[in-house]
Amino acid sequence: MNPILCLSLLLLASGTFAYIQEGPSSLSVYALRLGPGEEIVTSLFKFVQEKKLRAPFVITCVGSVTKATLRLANSDAQNTNEIIHLKERFEIVSLVGTLNEDAHLHISLSDKDGKTIGGHAMGNLEVFTTAEIVIGELSDLQFTREMDERTGFPELVIRPRSENTTSA
Amino acid sequence: MNPILCLSLLLLASGTFAYIQEGPSSLSVYALRLGPGEEIVTSLFKFVQEKKLRAPFVITCVGSVTKATLRLANSDAQNTNEIIHLKERFEIVSLVGTLNEDAHLHISLSDKDGKTIGGHAMGNLEVFTTAEIVIGELSDLQFTREMDERTGFPELVIRPRSENTTSA
Amino acid sequence: MNPILCLSLLLLASGTFAYIQEGPSSLSVYALRLGPGEEIVTSLFKFVQEKKLRAPFVITCVGSVTKATLRLANSDAQNTNEIIHLKERFEIVSLVGTLNEDAHLHISLSDKDGKTIGGHAMGNLEVFTTAEIVIGELSDLQFTREMDERTGFPELVIRPRSENTTSA
């Protein structure tokens, strides 16, 4: 049996944890500044690959974009999520998520009236003037994505680095 | 006189600080992944208790929920804040706050049209597909909540761990 | 030639990085609690000056305000961004950004109906009951702002501390 699955079943049986958790880990931190025309998701992806980060996530992000492609929340079981392509100047008011091979990023953007729009960041986040981003990397853990039968998606799996598992 | 109160008065008198602050502290970090049907506030509360965290806070959270109970901003002095029970699929676009015995969490959620709604997270945040959460724990500090006469609520008090104060 | 410019050109030429990045750095963390009537931007600015922080940023912030002055997203090339003065009770649902001499902070606020409004935090963020803020400081880096001809604004520059550069 897969040791993570085994652990999960044990924890479920013990009634204390249903979720998967790892830590404590120490943290290394990186800071980036993107300029006009750079795309945020691609840049973060490149950065993670170049630095060979294994458990990276966004700590904070401030900036502005001229475009965004967002996948919106699911409406119901029958309908797939709508994807919208925005072409407008926005302030980034939040960027959250994890950054390993399949980044899982959600964003909220405010427009010229202060109105906010949010969803899953698919890409196309072209910087207007700047994007200042602080990235954390958990030194003792590694993130992978593995198929979760319950959701039909590859979902985050968190492991100690001491376990001999390959990460992209 | 309580040493924290004494310090606060001194700082007020010196004209430099009115707020309470502590640090620098080093940081330990934990990562969690919640699956379908798990409730976020309860899970975080359990996690903090199990790990005996004393100064924990949310660094980032990405995921989706099918429900949420939010306490909205106060409208005016006469009216208490409205509490709303949402039952709809949302993307989590921000989760902020501290996590000791009385968690103080605010959240913003985006719906199937990208529209965002936010407030104080009361609970009932049932995960739709996933919730990936990174938690920080300040190794040198401890959070408690103590009644603040100015607000009528138990508010965050931050102390060095070396002070011999109990924490839940 | 400026070494940072030189490095940027080299990186551009190599096709790997267009953005500026530095790290890894270790992190020191501070926690603050502001009380009723305190202003968030001014308080953070004072805090950074008092502690002589050189690469500070917001990790999380939870709380409520009675006022806010926000600069909204740019509408188009001809128009300058609109600045709005809000006077209403809001929950803080996100606060993101960097905090050196010219703080770059974006915020989103939710109102009595849960509706959120966001933009660049200009100040006037007067605390209603509380604001709990966790600040990170990159021990090995320093943030400055330098004019970027592409945007016409002083933009974030990130350098290792070993480089002999003054910071405010």
Side-chain angles (χ1 to χ4, degrees):
Chain A
M1 187 185 281
N2 174 313
I4 291 290
L5 178 60
C6 179
L7 180 66
S8 306
L9 291 176
L10 269 171
L11 290 169
L12 274 166
S14 75
T16 42
F17 285 121
Y19 45 82
I20 304 293
Q21 59 82 22
E22 290 294 344
S25 169
S26 58
L27 185 73
S28 290
V29 185
Y30 297 82
L32 290 81
R33 188 246 155 162
L34 281 63
E38 296 188 65
E39 202 282 318
I40 295 174
V41 178
T42 313
S43 300
L44 289 176
F45 186 68
K46 264 196 211 167
F47 179 74
V48 163
Q49 283 193 313
E50 284 279 333
K51 296 287 180 184
K52 298 186 171 42
L53 304 185
R54 292 169 70 186
F57 57 92
V58 178
I59 302 181
T60 196
C61 170
V62 67
S64 56
V65 293
T66 54
K67 292 181 188 170
T69 298
L70 304 182
R71 191 178 69 212
L72 304 181
N74 193 264
S75 53
D76 60 50
Q78 277 65 50
N79 296 312
T80 53
N81 314 53
E82 193 184 350
I83 290 174
I84 54 169
H85 302 274
L86 302 166
K87 199 173 172 182
E88 193 180 327
R89 290 175 186 170
F90 292 105
E91 301 285 88
I92 300 165
V93 293
S94 74
L95 180 70
V96 295
T98 53
L99 281 171
N100 65 328
E101 68 256 51
D102 288 299
H104 190 187
L105 294 171
H106 288 187
I107 195 167
S108 61
L109 300 165
S110 64
D111 71 9
K112 65 182 171 51
D113 302 311
K115 195 165 71 73
T116 59
I117 186 164
H120 181 106
M122 299 287 288
N124 210 17
L125 288 166
E126 203 173 282
V127 170
F128 176 37
T129 57
T130 198
E132 306 171 16
I133 309 176
V134 180
I135 301 296
E137 157 80 343
L138 297 169
S139 314
D140 307 316
L141 303 181
Q142 57 188 354
F143 293 164
T144 53
R145 306 254 167 211
E146 298 176 16
M147 181 55 59
D148 184 331
E149 302 300 335
R150 296 173 297 172
T151 70
F153 289 105
E155 302 286 3
L156 183 69
V157 176
I158 308 156
R159 286 194 183 90
R161 291 210 186 176
S162 51
E163 285 187 33
N164 192 6
T165 311
T166 57
S167 89
Chain B
M1 186 187 283
N2 174 314
I4 292 289
L5 178 61
C6 178
L7 180 65
S8 306
L9 290 176
L10 268 171
L11 291 169
L12 272 166
S14 75
T16 42
F17 285 120
Y19 45 82
I20 304 294
Q21 58 82 23
E22 290 295 343
S25 170
S26 58
L27 185 73
S28 290
V29 185
Y30 297 82
L32 289 82
R33 188 245 155 163
L34 280 65
E38 296 187 66
E39 202 283 318
I40 294 174
V41 178
T42 314
S43 299
L44 289 175
F45 185 68
K46 263 196 212 168
F47 179 74
V48 163
Q49 284 193 311
E50 283 279 334
K51 296 286 179 184
K52 298 186 172 42
L53 305 185
R54 292 168 70 185
F57 57 93
V58 178
I59 302 181
T60 196
C61 171
V62 67
S64 55
V65 293
T66 53
K67 292 181 188 170
T69 298
L70 304 182
R71 192 180 68 213
L72 304 180
N74 193 266
S75 52
D76 60 50
Q78 276 65 50
N79 296 311
T80 53
N81 314 53
E82 193 184 350
I83 290 173
I84 54 168
H85 302 275
L86 303 167
K87 201 174 172 181
E88 192 181 325
R89 290 175 186 170
F90 292 105
E91 300 285 89
I92 299 166
V93 292
S94 73
L95 180 69
V96 295
T98 53
L99 281 171
N100 65 328
E101 68 257 52
D102 287 300
H104 190 188
L105 294 171
H106 288 186
I107 196 167
S108 62
L109 300 166
S110 65
D111 71 9
K112 65 181 172 52
D113 302 311
K115 196 164 71 72
T116 59
I117 186 163
H120 181 107
M122 300 287 287
N124 210 17
L125 289 166
E126 203 173 282
V127 171
F128 176 37
T129 56
T130 196
E132 306 171 15
I133 309 176
V134 180
I135 301 296
E137 156 82 341
L138 297 169
S139 314
D140 307 315
L141 304 181
Q142 56 188 354
F143 294 164
T144 54
R145 306 252 166 213
E146 297 177 15
M147 181 54 60
D148 183 331
E149 301 299 334
R150 297 173 297 171
T151 71
F153 289 104
E155 302 286 4
L156 183 68
V157 176
I158 308 156
R159 286 194 183 90
R161 292 210 185 176
S162 50
E163 284 186 36
N164 193 6
T165 311
T166 56
S167 88
Chain C
M1 187 185 283
N2 174 313
I4 291 290
L5 178 60
C6 178
L7 180 66
S8 305
L9 291 175
L10 268 172
L11 291 169
L12 273 166
S14 75
T16 42
F17 284 121
Y19 45 83
I20 304 294
Q21 58 82 22
E22 290 294 344
S25 170
S26 58
L27 185 74
S28 290
V29 185
Y30 296 83
L32 289 81
R33 189 246 156 162
L34 280 63
E38 296 188 66
E39 201 284 317
I40 294 175
V41 178
T42 314
S43 299
L44 289 176
F45 185 68
K46 263 196 210 168
F47 178 73
V48 164
Q49 284 193 312
E50 284 278 334
K51 296 286 179 184
K52 299 186 171 44
L53 305 185
R54 292 168 70 185
F57 57 93
V58 178
I59 302 181
T60 197
C61 171
V62 67
S64 56
V65 293
T66 54
K67 292 182 189 170
T69 299
L70 304 182
R71 192 178 69 212
L72 303 180
N74 192 266
S75 52
D76 60 50
Q78 277 65 50
N79 296 312
T80 53
N81 313 53
E82 192 183 350
I83 290 173
I84 54 169
H85 302 274
L86 303 166
K87 200 173 171 182
E88 192 180 326
R89 290 175 186 170
F90 292 104
E91 300 286 89
I92 299 167
V93 291
S94 73
L95 181 69
V96 295
T98 54
L99 281 171
N100 66 327
E101 68 256 51
D102 287 301
H104 189 187
L105 294 172
H106 288 187
I107 195 167
S108 62
L109 300 166
S110 65
D111 71 9
K112 65 182 172 54
D113 302 311
K115 195 165 72 72
T116 59
I117 186 164
H120 181 106
M122 300 287 287
N124 210 18
L125 289 165
E126 204 172 283
V127 170
F128 176 37
T129 55
T130 197
E132 305 171 17
I133 309 176
V134 180
I135 301 296
E137 157 81 343
L138 297 169
S139 313
D140 307 315
L141 304 181
Q142 57 189 352
F143 294 164
T144 55
R145 305 253 167 212
E146 298 177 16
M147 181 55 60
D148 183 331
E149 301 301 334
R150 297 173 297 172
T151 71
F153 289 104
E155 301 286 5
L156 183 69
V157 176
I158 308 156
R159 287 195 183 90
R161 291 209 185 176
S162 50
E163 285 187 33
N164 192 6
T165 310
T166 56
S167 88

